[in-house]
PDB file of all heavy atoms in Angstrom:
ATOM      1  N   LEU A1323      69.523  92.414 141.023  1.00  0.00           N
ATOM      2  CA  LEU A1323      68.772  93.668 140.939  1.00  0.00           C
ATOM      3  C   LEU A1323      67.319  93.302 140.672  1.00  0.00           C
ATOM      4  O   LEU A1323      67.040  92.408 139.862  1.00  0.00           O
ATOM      5  CB  LEU A1323      69.303  94.542 139.809  1.00  0.00           C
ATOM      6  CG  LEU A1323      70.783  94.881 139.955  1.00  0.00           C
ATOM      7  CD1 LEU A1323      71.399  95.169 138.610  1.00  0.00           C
ATOM      8  CD2 LEU A1323      70.951  96.043 140.884  1.00  0.00           C
ATOM      9  N   TRP A1324      66.401  93.980 141.332  1.00  0.00           N
ATOM     10  CA  TRP A1324      65.001  93.616 141.190  1.00  0.00           C
ATOM     11  C   TRP A1324      64.082  94.815 141.357  1.00  0.00           C
ATOM     12  O   TRP A1324      64.486  95.842 141.911  1.00  0.00           O
ATOM     13  CB  TRP A1324      64.622  92.529 142.195  1.00  0.00           C
ATOM     14  CG  TRP A1324      64.926  92.891 143.614  1.00  0.00           C
ATOM     15  CD1 TRP A1324      66.072  92.638 144.297  1.00  0.00           C
ATOM     16  CD2 TRP A1324      64.092  93.631 144.504  1.00  0.00           C
ATOM     17  NE1 TRP A1324      65.999  93.158 145.561  1.00  0.00           N
ATOM     18  CE2 TRP A1324      64.789  93.766 145.713  1.00  0.00           C
ATOM     19  CE3 TRP A1324      62.817  94.169 144.395  1.00  0.00           C
ATOM     20  CZ2 TRP A1324      64.250  94.446 146.802  1.00  0.00           C
ATOM     21  CZ3 TRP A1324      62.284  94.846 145.479  1.00  0.00           C
ATOM     22  CH2 TRP A1324      63.005  94.964 146.681  1.00  0.00           C
ATOM     23  N   LYS A1325      62.859  94.658 140.851  1.00  0.00           N
ATOM     24  CA  LYS A1325      61.784  95.640 141.028  1.00  0.00           C
ATOM     25  C   LYS A1325      60.519  94.869 141.370  1.00  0.00           C
ATOM     26  O   LYS A1325      60.334  93.745 140.909  1.00  0.00           O
ATOM     27  CB  LYS A1325      61.529  96.431 139.740  1.00  0.00           C
ATOM     28  CG  LYS A1325      62.522  97.546 139.490  1.00  0.00           C
ATOM     29  CD  LYS A1325      62.165  98.330 138.237  1.00  0.00           C
ATOM     30  CE  LYS A1325      60.817  98.960 138.284  1.00  0.00           C
ATOM     31  NZ  LYS A1325      60.702 100.359 138.590  1.00  0.00           N
ATOM     32  N   ALA A1326      59.670  95.497 142.152  1.00  0.00           N
ATOM     33  CA  ALA A1326      58.374  94.908 142.496  1.00  0.00           C
ATOM     34  C   ALA A1326      57.320  96.007 142.470  1.00  0.00           C
ATOM     35  O   ALA A1326      57.638  97.187 142.678  1.00  0.00           O
ATOM     36  CB  ALA A1326      58.428  94.262 143.878  1.00  0.00           C
ATOM     37  N   ASP A1327      56.072  95.620 142.206  1.00  0.00           N
ATOM     38  CA  ASP A1327      54.994  96.608 142.212  1.00  0.00           C
ATOM     39  C   ASP A1327      54.519  96.844 143.647  1.00  0.00           C
ATOM     40  O   ASP A1327      55.063  96.272 144.597  1.00  0.00           O
ATOM     41  CB  ASP A1327      53.859  96.177 141.281  1.00  0.00           C
ATOM     42  CG  ASP A1327      53.168  94.883 141.711  1.00  0.00           C
ATOM     43  OD1 ASP A1327      53.325  94.452 142.880  1.00  0.00           O
ATOM     44  OD2 ASP A1327      52.468  94.292 140.869  1.00  0.00           O
ATOM     45  N   ARG A1328      53.501  97.664 143.797  1.00  0.00           N
ATOM     46  CA  ARG A1328      53.034  98.015 145.145  1.00  0.00           C
ATOM     47  C   ARG A1328      52.457  96.835 145.904  1.00  0.00           C
ATOM     48  O   ARG A1328      52.409  96.827 147.126  1.00  0.00           O
ATOM     49  CB  ARG A1328      52.035  99.165 145.083  1.00  0.00           C
ATOM     50  CG  ARG A1328      50.762  98.804 144.331  1.00  0.00           C
ATOM     51  CD  ARG A1328      49.776  99.935 144.188  1.00  0.00           C
ATOM     52  NE  ARG A1328      49.351 100.390 145.486  1.00  0.00           N
ATOM     53  CZ  ARG A1328      49.027 101.639 145.762  1.00  0.00           C
ATOM     54  NH1 ARG A1328      49.072 102.547 144.838  1.00  0.00           N
ATOM     55  NH2 ARG A1328      48.625 101.970 146.962  1.00  0.00           N
ATOM     56  N   GLU A1329      52.017  95.781 145.190  1.00  0.00           N
ATOM     57  CA  GLU A1329      51.506  94.564 145.844  1.00  0.00           C
ATOM     58  C   GLU A1329      52.615  93.552 146.085  1.00  0.00           C
ATOM     59  O   GLU A1329      52.344  92.399 146.430  1.00  0.00           O
ATOM     60  CB  GLU A1329      50.396  93.919 144.998  1.00  0.00           C
ATOM     61  CG  GLU A1329      49.063  94.653 145.088  1.00  0.00           C
ATOM     62  CD  GLU A1329      49.006  95.857 144.156  1.00  0.00           C
ATOM     63  OE1 GLU A1329      49.627  95.795 143.080  1.00  0.00           O
ATOM     64  OE2 GLU A1329      48.363  96.852 144.516  1.00  0.00           O
ATOM     65  N   LEU A1330      53.857  93.967 145.876  1.00  0.00           N
ATOM     66  CA  LEU A1330      55.043  93.136 146.083  1.00  0.00           C
ATOM     67  C   LEU A1330      55.113  91.938 145.133  1.00  0.00           C
ATOM     68  O   LEU A1330      55.586  90.871 145.492  1.00  0.00           O
ATOM     69  CB  LEU A1330      55.151  92.680 147.548  1.00  0.00           C
ATOM     70  CG  LEU A1330      55.341  93.806 148.552  1.00  0.00           C
ATOM     71  CD1 LEU A1330      55.236  93.287 149.970  1.00  0.00           C
ATOM     72  CD2 LEU A1330      56.684  94.492 148.339  1.00  0.00           C
ATOM     73  N   ARG A1331      54.654  92.147 143.885  1.00  0.00           N
ATOM     74  CA  ARG A1331      54.853  91.165 142.827  1.00  0.00           C
ATOM     75  C   ARG A1331      56.087  91.592 142.035  1.00  0.00           C
ATOM     76  O   ARG A1331      56.224  92.768 141.677  1.00  0.00           O
ATOM     77  CB  ARG A1331      53.638  91.088 141.902  1.00  0.00           C
ATOM     78  CG  ARG A1331      52.454  90.367 142.507  1.00  0.00           C
ATOM     79  CD  ARG A1331      51.331  90.201 141.493  1.00  0.00           C
ATOM     80  NE  ARG A1331      50.969  91.466 140.884  1.00  0.00           N
ATOM     81  CZ  ARG A1331      49.948  92.242 141.277  1.00  0.00           C
ATOM     82  NH1 ARG A1331      49.186  91.860 142.275  1.00  0.00           N
ATOM     83  NH2 ARG A1331      49.696  93.372 140.669  1.00  0.00           N
ATOM     84  N   VAL A1332      56.967  90.655 141.754  1.00  0.00           N
ATOM     85  CA  VAL A1332      58.205  90.944 141.052  1.00  0.00           C
ATOM     86  C   VAL A1332      57.894  91.357 139.613  1.00  0.00           C
ATOM     87  O   VAL A1332      57.179  90.654 138.899  1.00  0.00           O
ATOM     88  CB  VAL A1332      59.153  89.721 141.071  1.00  0.00           C
ATOM     89  CG1 VAL A1332      60.428  90.005 140.290  1.00  0.00           C
ATOM     90  CG2 VAL A1332      59.466  89.310 142.499  1.00  0.00           C
TER      91      VAL A1332
END
Side-chain angles (χ1 to χ4, degrees):
L1323 302 154
W1324 55 269
K1325 281 183 59 101
D1327 64 16
R1328 64 183 299 148
E1329 284 82 32
L1330 296 172
R1331 285 186 307 263
V1332 178

